[in-house]
Amino acid sequence: MRLFVALALPADLRSRLCALSAGLPGARWVDPSNLHLTLRFIGEVGRHEAEDIDAALSGLKGKRFSLTLAGLGEFGDDRRPRQLWVGVEPNEALERLQAKIENALQRAGLAPEKRKFKPHVTLARFKTNPGERLHDYIVERSLFRAAPFEVTEFTLFSSYLAREGAIYAPEAAYPLL
Ligand code: 2AM
């Protein structure tokens, strides 16, 4: 199975993000039910490895915290934009949780993640390059700021690539105290 660790987002917040998801030619919008904040991508693993991962994450002790989504940005470059995302206000508790998850997964035998953690919620990927429209879209919404929400757990998701696109299923949720 293909796994990743993420924060699931409350329904009202997903609706708020959904309201942003229009008016950009070439964008393939993420399905509202799929909106999430990835903490650690794991990738393809076997059943035993998945069990070790679940055990490691179950043993993790983390604290609840508040998180605010704000601002928009893109990954990729002007010639080839890859993703449009909503950002996160600087959040030490989130960084700490992510570091604990990274540690736990390394203890479970996973190779270290080389890429720096850039917290974001992907809103869209691109079929074709929207060109200038992408820049305008981001500038027009640069003051976007959602209401803070309380992060009380994190989730191990599986990802299944169906013909209609990715289907994410929560496999286990780990409470924060
Ligand atoms: P993204 O939102 O920035 O595309 C499920 O696919 C989640 O894992 C997505 O949130 C995706 O991040 C992330 N992901 C997919 N492939 C990845 C990879 N090779 N490295 C890091 N994260 C990845």
Side-chain angles (χ1 to χ4, degrees):
M1 58 203 323
R2 191 180 152 94
L3 297 177
F4 63 98
V5 181
L7 299 181
L9 304 178
D12 55 342
L13 182 56
R14 284 187 281 113
S15 306
R16 181 87 208 278
L17 295 179
C18 231
L20 291 173
S21 303
L24 194 54
R28 246 185 322 117
W29 299 102
V30 172
D31 192 82
S33 62
N34 272 354
L35 290 164
H36 64 274
L37 191 161
T38 300
L39 296 168
R40 172 58 143 93
F41 180 71
I42 295 173
E44 209 61 52
V45 295
R47 194 154 62 84
H48 290 300
E49 210 179 342
E51 282 168 10
D52 290 346
I53 287 167
D54 175 50
L57 294 176
S58 300
L60 190 156
K61 290 186 180 59
K63 290 205 194 102
R64 317 179 148 206
F65 58 95
S66 170
L67 185 136
T68 304
L69 298 184
L72 277 86
E74 63 176 298
F75 289 151
D77 54 44
D78 286 351
R79 265 193 305 158
R80 241 186 130 181
R82 278 190 295 119
Q83 277 164 250
L84 170 70
W85 45 261
V86 168
V88 177
E89 284 191 347
N91 191 316
E92 274 184 30
L94 176 68
E95 301 282 336
R96 269 199 300 276
L97 175 63
Q98 200 276 336
K100 281 187 178 175
I101 290 169
E102 179 61 32
N103 258 319
L105 293 178
Q106 286 183 27
R107 272 186 274 116
L110 268 69
E113 170 63 69
K114 290 193 204 84
R115 297 206 267 179
K116 188 172 160 24
F117 177 50
K118 289 190 200 150
H120 65 277
V121 176
T122 300
L123 280 186
R125 298 184 176 81
F126 296 103
K127 281 190 290 222
T128 55
N129 186 347
E132 271 301 293
R133 295 281 295 268
L134 175 57
H135 180 251
D136 295 346
Y137 177 97
I138 290 174
V139 170
E140 281 160 18
R141 290 160 184 80
S142 60
L143 294 180
F144 173 82
R145 184 179 187 271
F149 76 101
E150 196 65 11
V151 178
T152 58
E153 62 179 22
F154 62 95
T155 306
L156 181 64
F157 284 95
S158 62
S159 157
Y160 167 72
L161 296 174
R163 217 178 324 151
E164 322 80 65
I167 298 172
Y168 301 145
E171 298 293 334
Y174 309 93
L176 299 167
L177 301 175

